[in-house]
Amino acid sequence: MLLIRLAFRNAFRHRLRSALTILGVMVAILAFGLLRTVIDAWHAGVEASSANRLVTRNAVSLVFTLPLAYREKIRAIPGVTQVCPGTWFGGIYVDEKNFFANFAYEPVSLLALYPELVIDDPARRDDFLKDRKGCLVGAKLAKRFGWKVGDEITLRGTIYPGDWPMTVRAVYRGGRANTDESQLFMHFAYVEESLRQSAPSRAGQAGFYLVGVQEASRAAETARAIDAQFANSPAETLTETEKAFQMGFVAMSEAIILAIRLVSYVVVAIILAVAANTMAMSARERTGEYAVLKTLGFPARTVALLIFGESLVLSLTGAGLGLALILPSARVFGRFMEDFMPVFEVSRLTLVQGGLAGLAVGVLSGIYPAFYASRVRIAQALRRVG
């Protein structure tokens, strides 16, 4: 108990230097937490994936389509529970800067495959299913543009040219924390019927198929069966788990993610150097005190523990303040970035890593000063003081 009290008193003896060190550790841990959360936000789609869902696309590229006739053939494969044709619509609302994800799906199978898209009012759900010009929007997207159920909106097609009027029939909220609430879903039949009139050569095609499987443990087997079904056909398929499909998009930004990850580690390394310098300065200034402690009978190990205690007090105080600020800072940051990162949640792992980083800074920055204090010779130290 005496050593703990001594460690606390010595840690704050030079108040300005201690405050600046704590501030540095706090900012470093805060930056570390936010950078790690940005990386998590990049992987939000991957983490939200289900092991019971597969994605079947054209084996050549996602740019190429698949015949709608594949739907029933996929459905007939053992282990398949649902098949939902879909396509990336790529519509623009008013201006290009209003970017958000919008897809055309077959709505019944979509809602069956994605139970995390929660529509609280069953009547709204029925309205969406019945109205081919109706759309389902996420709660964040509705809030962003001030949309309400019943509002008429128009998307300007890029992949499918023209104006596409539709009615907001329902708003969904995420059933899980990592569910993206900034998407818009419209009826696949709406797109298909319009294409039959305006561009018949593009009709009868799906961008990809969402496939539900009965047993997640047999997902790989089912995927192979689907691809085997269409082997040597004009449009061969590539079926992968939803997680692997999402990882394909994340991999395109792998260099950026790697850079952010490296910066988060560099931030911690820099503050480690700052804290180590602070503790080394403190140890050198108090060489005479260590000699006195040893003269009074304190063993070298106890002196070393005292130095470690001071280092831990400074680093853990700074780390604690940084961790306390991560959650409110992430909420503010996420509010500004919600157009680009719909899911911006601080994970428990990030908090644990931040705490461990603070502990590591405290331990590593105290090693040399503790070693120095434990090896200092009494007569030499007292002579230097005198």
Side-chain angles (χ1 to χ4, degrees), residues 90-335:
I92 295 171
Y93 178 64
V94 181
D95 193 271
E96 284 81 355
K97 67 181 180 183
N98 298 327
F99 175 81
F100 57 86
N102 45 88
F103 299 88
Y105 282 118
E106 194 286 307
V108 175
S109 51
L110 171 70
L111 296 181
L113 281 167
Y114 286 84
E116 61 264 38
L117 304 180
V118 179
I119 304 173
D120 292 321
D121 189 343
R124 305 292 189 199
R125 176 190 175 99
D126 292 341
D127 290 343
F128 168 60
L129 295 178
K130 292 175 183 174
D131 185 2
R132 290 194 174 187
K133 287 192 174 181
C135 64
L136 172 67
V137 300
K140 284 185 178 178
L141 186 64
K143 182 180 178 183
R144 177 182 172 189
F145 295 115
W147 292 342
K148 303 182 295 298
V149 173
D151 284 357
E152 301 286 338
I153 63 174
T154 300
L155 296 186
R156 176 157 50 87
T158 53
I159 301 173
Y160 303 96
D163 289 337
W164 296 78
M166 58 192 76
T167 307
V168 177
R169 289 301 180 191
V171 177
Y172 75 87
R173 61 177 176 82
R176 298 187 302 207
N178 55 5
T179 303
D180 187 355
E181 295 181 343
S182 63
Q183 301 180 85
L184 180 147
F185 303 108
M186 55 193 294
H187 284 238
F188 186 84
Y190 180 28
V191 178
E192 175 66 12
E193 290 173 359
S194 299
L195 287 177
R196 288 188 186 282
Q197 297 176 1
S198 59
S201 60
R202 299 185 62 187
Q205 300 288 316
F208 51 84
Y209 288 97
L210 302 175
V211 180
V213 294
Q214 200 165 19
E215 298 177 34
S217 60
R218 302 186 65 181
E221 181 184 339
T222 305
R224 286 194 295 272
I226 294 173
D227 293 339
Q229 172 76 27
F230 306 108
N232 299 318
S233 69
E236 294 188 351
T237 61
L238 173 63
T239 304
E240 52 195 351
T241 61
E242 185 186 25
K243 189 171 188 176
F245 181 74
Q246 296 285 357
M247 276 301 296
F249 291 99
V250 174
M252 297 177 188
S253 308
E254 192 61 32
I256 299 174
I257 296 173
L258 179 62
I260 295 174
R261 186 176 284 121
L262 288 176
V263 169
S264 69
Y265 294 137
V266 168
V267 167
V268 174
I270 291 174
I271 199 58
L272 171 62
V274 172
N277 182 56
T278 300
M279 290 308 301
M281 289 172 60
S282 178
R284 281 196 300 272
E285 290 173 356
R286 300 212 305 271
T287 301
E289 292 182 21
Y290 302 142
V292 171
L293 287 174
K294 288 186 174 180
T295 304
L296 292 175
F298 283 87
R301 186 175 60 183
T302 302
V303 176
L305 286 176
L306 189 60
I307 303 297
F308 262 121
E310 292 177 35
S311 179
L312 287 175
V313 167
L314 292 176
S315 62
L316 291 182
T317 302
L321 292 173
L323 291 174
L325 288 174
I326 285 180
L327 292 177
S329 301
R331 276 197 288 272
V332 175
F333 187 80
R335 201 169 298 145

Side-chain angles (χ1 to χ4, degrees), residues 2-41:
L2 176 63
L3 286 178
I4 295 176
R5 290 176 60 188
L6 278 174
F8 267 94
R9 285 182 177 276
N10 286 332
F12 294 100
R13 180 182 292 183
H14 197 301
R15 293 182 180 176
L16 178 59
R17 188 166 62 195
S18 300
L20 291 175
T21 304
I22 290 173
L23 179 64
V25 175
M26 181 192 76
V27 172
I29 295 300
L30 177 60
F32 175 82
L34 290 178
L35 289 171
R36 297 294 306 179
T37 305
V38 168
I39 296 173
D40 291 342

